[in-house]
Amino acid sequence: MLKKRLIFTLLYNQGQFMLSRNFRLQKVGDLKWLQTNYNFSHISYSIDELIVLDVTRGERNTEDFCSALKTLTEGCFVPIAAGGGVNTVGHARALLHSGADKVVVNTALYEDDGFIGELASEFGQQCIVASMDIKRAPDGSYQAWAECGSRCMEGSAKHWIEANAGNAVGEIYLNSIDCDGTGQGYDLGLLDQLPPNMSKPVILAGGVGNAIHLAAGFADPRVDAAATAHLFNFVGDGLKQARQSLIADGVVLPIWDVQLLEHHLRLDDSQGQDD
Amino acid sequence: MGASIAVIDYGMGNIWSVLSALRYLGCSPTVSGDPKEIAGADVLLLPGVGSFRKAMATLQQKSLDKAILDAVQNRGSKILGICLGMQLMGSRGSEDGNTIGLGLIPNPVDRFTAQEAGSSKIPHIGFDVVRSSADSSLFRGIPEAADFYFVHSYRMLADGLSGKKATCKCGVDFLAAYEQDNIFATQFHPEKSQSNGLMLLKNFLAQ
């Protein structure tokens, strides 16, 4: 049986990694800072998947992003998805050649121009993650927003989720704009916007502040993967401990030996230990 | 270790992460699409993601199919096929029409049928449990039920194979890993499977 997934999402903006709160960005530090202060490669030993998004508002520099992606993914032994403004096959290919296994598409999902089909026929639909930013309207209904949460799409979120799920994508990433970065927990109401016969994996994102919030996501059978983008809430060993407590509580996550990774497994060392 | 390690580059899939895993283990692999270099390497890794037919056509076009067989069958070089790389080592594949494979593993590669998959989703994507036998050299030091990362819609079955087999269940039991003499293959991605995958790569290289 397939295991559930714990996903970490990194937000990139012109060479810097960011915290986002309700889609307003705050600078955290660059790649070097991330390694020094958060020992990022060790964080990656406690997740099942990494998502890296270029959330730069306005013009993005794909070359710089790809080079950051390459540095990040060296020494990261889980599947990696990357995206941010992807709307050409060439852009997707550049990410896939920089360490990504999957491409995250958001705004282009709403254009009726055959791009998703084109991506799928080039790389396979398992390669495409449909990322949707959802916000609750004052009347309690949900709507989908494009362009980093700046353009509200006409029609209900339900309509768009169903349309995207029926497209040639591999999975759906649902992010709550309202809960994003608040650390107050997921908006589980997003899951009620899913079609009843949803056949594609669902990643839930937005709002996680601690392991209890992750557990609440995993407790819903409609959730295949729980994501968090909150670096500060999982400082130091935070993510490692969250993972351990989730596994202890019966969440069916993959099991591996984090210590082996931390001690650096090497071919020329029969003990599997080094420096 | 003086063995020359070559990762076969034929333009299909994420070679970057295989290289990253080999470098982590302390190896200095070369990346090559040159049949002469491939035929002369001691250790071959055949990664790949994508269509069987397209991949096989590319290998033939670049004469890499002959180079691989020459290295493995005449020179005794060891090979590890990963994902599509494993499938290409099969007798034939039915993705995009029937195509003859390298024939290093005598079973065919077909899509999971609806009957096989049952309620399991296809493509089969994510970490899943692989069951190996205690005498496996690839899985030495790895629990007999361990998690590895898969992403595929086609599978090889274990029926009738004489080498050591590891299996995974996606509706039906399918071949997750295989080893026979100098031939090794995994349907999953060891380079994406944390310590379990790195241990397996280490075991392969240490053979």
Side-chain angles (χ1 to χ4, degrees):
Chain A
M1 194 187 74
L2 279 177
K3 301 293 179 88
K4 302 268 183 184
R5 289 175 275 163
L6 174 59
I7 297 180
F8 194 80
T9 306
L10 265 180
L11 305 175
Y12 169 100
N13 179 353
Q14 295 176 319
Q16 301 285 323
F17 289 90
M18 315 298 283
L19 271 184
S20 167
R21 189 179 173 107
N22 306 121
F23 279 43
R24 287 185 304 276
L25 299 174
Q26 181 197 336
K27 218 173 263 184
V28 175
D30 62 11
L31 202 55
K32 197 174 161 213
W33 188 92
L34 197 68
Q35 283 295 6
T36 317
N37 292 275
Y38 286 90
N39 200 352
F40 184 73
S41 53
H42 280 208
I43 288 182
S44 80
Y45 298 158
S46 293
I47 57 176
D48 303 295
E49 190 166 325
L50 176 66
I51 297 183
V52 193
L53 298 177
D54 182 356
V55 294
T56 305
R57 312 296 195 235
E59 196 77 19
R60 291 175 171 93
N61 184 328
T62 306
E63 219 171 290
D64 283 357
F65 180 61
C66 284
S67 126
L69 193 58
K70 276 190 175 176
T71 312
L72 265 175
T73 54
E74 174 90 39
C76 188
F77 307 112
V78 283
I80 291 150
V86 175
N87 57 9
T88 65
V89 168
H91 189 169
R93 185 176 291 118
L95 299 175
L96 294 171
H97 283 176
S98 306
D101 305 286
K102 300 191 264 193
V103 175
V104 181
V105 182
N106 189 315
T107 298
L109 291 171
Y110 304 102
E111 314 295 335
D112 189 18
D113 57 3
F115 172 61
I116 301 301
E118 204 185 329
L119 266 190
S121 70
E122 189 71 24
F123 306 114
Q125 72 177 51
Q126 82 289 339
C127 194
I128 307 169
V129 181
S131 156
M132 301 183 64
D133 300 320
I134 314 279
K135 194 173 173 177
R136 204 191 278 254
D139 67 357
S141 67
Y142 286 88
Q143 284 181 301
W145 291 66
E147 289 166 28
C148 299
S150 67
R151 179 158 63 97
C152 182
M153 300 308 301
E154 214 173 295
S156 66
K158 225 175 215 165
H159 158 76
W160 284 112
I161 293 173
E162 189 161 13
N164 286 329
N167 213 334
V169 303
E171 53 199 339
I172 307 273
Y173 181 96
L174 293 180
N175 191 14
S176 161
I177 297 177
D178 303 301
C179 296
D180 175 56
T182 59
Q184 305 285 314
Y186 288 123
D187 180 353
L188 296 171
L190 292 187
L191 300 170
D192 296 330
Q193 315 311 309
L194 291 166
N197 55 345
M198 182 67 182
S199 65
K200 292 181 178 165
V202 172
I203 304 164
L204 186 61
V208 164
N210 55 46
I212 295 166
H213 296 148
L214 291 167
F218 283 122
D220 193 302
R222 294 169 292 187
V223 173
D224 296 278
T228 175
H230 212 303
L231 270 175
F232 285 160
N233 284 343
F234 293 99
V235 86
D237 273 355
L239 212 51
K240 184 175 169 183
Q241 280 166 14
R243 182 181 192 85
Q244 280 165 354
S245 81
L246 289 166
I247 291 171
D249 289 346
V251 178
V252 186
L253 292 172
I255 309 286
W256 58 77
D257 188 343
V258 178
Q259 271 194 325
L260 267 185
L261 292 163
E262 286 176 349
H263 291 156
H264 202 141
L265 194 64
R266 294 182 72 91
L267 183 60
D268 53 13
D269 183 352
S270 58
Q271 303 302 308
Q273 308 251 325
D274 201 351
D275 45 54
Chain B
M1 296 261 313
S4 59
I5 303 171
V7 177
I8 303 168
D9 181 9
Y10 57 109
M12 306 277 288
N14 190 349
I15 282 188
W16 178 258
S17 51
V18 175
L19 290 173
S20 164
L22 293 173
R23 285 194 293 256
Y24 173 92
L25 290 169
C27 303
S28 313
T30 57
V31 177
S32 179
D34 174 9
K36 264 195 209 129
E37 272 178 25
I38 300 300
D42 303 314
V43 180
L44 295 173
L45 285 102
L46 181 63
V49 176
S51 139
F52 190 107
R53 171 183 285 271
K54 199 173 153 195
M56 210 51 218
T58 311
L59 287 180
Q60 283 162 352
Q61 210 172 25
K62 298 178 187 257
S63 300
L64 287 168
D65 56 335
K66 290 191 199 78
I68 293 168
L69 292 176
D70 186 26
V72 174
Q73 294 177 327
N74 302 332
R75 293 190 51 252
S77 306
K78 62 183 174 186
I79 185 168
L80 175 66
I82 297 173
C83 196
L84 177 64
M86 162 168 167
Q87 299 185 351
L88 294 172
M89 289 161 71
S91 58
R92 61 158 185 81
S94 55
E95 192 172 3
D96 294 338
N98 265 319
T99 311
I100 298 295
L102 292 168
L104 293 169
I105 307 174
N107 276 10
V109 180
D110 293 298
R111 194 177 168 87
F112 282 105
T113 62
Q115 197 184 1
E116 282 172 355
S119 61
S120 302
K121 293 172 187 173
I122 304 296
H124 178 232
I125 308 181
F127 279 86
D128 210 336
V129 186
V130 172
R131 294 179 193 283
S132 56
S133 54
D135 61 349
S136 157
S137 46
L138 268 187
F139 289 84
R140 199 163 60 91
I142 300 170
E144 282 179 38
D147 297 319
F148 289 89
Y149 179 72
F150 289 87
V151 45
H152 62 123
S153 301
Y154 288 75
R155 89 291 176 273
M156 217 186 272
L157 297 178
D159 308 350
L161 294 174
S162 57
K164 285 171 192 154
K165 295 160 278 198
T167 58
C168 177
K169 198 178 183 72
C170 175
V172 67
D173 277 334
F174 66 91
L175 191 65
Y178 189 66
E179 53 186 275
Q180 186 178 37
D181 305 322
N182 55 339
I183 294 166
F184 301 85
T186 63
Q187 177 59 64
F188 51 81
H189 288 268
E191 77 282 12
K192 297 277 164 192
S193 302
Q194 300 279 32
S195 66
N196 296 338
L198 293 167
M199 278 290 285
L200 183 137
L201 285 173
K202 184 182 169 189
N203 287 338
F204 165 69
L205 293 165
Q207 290 299 306

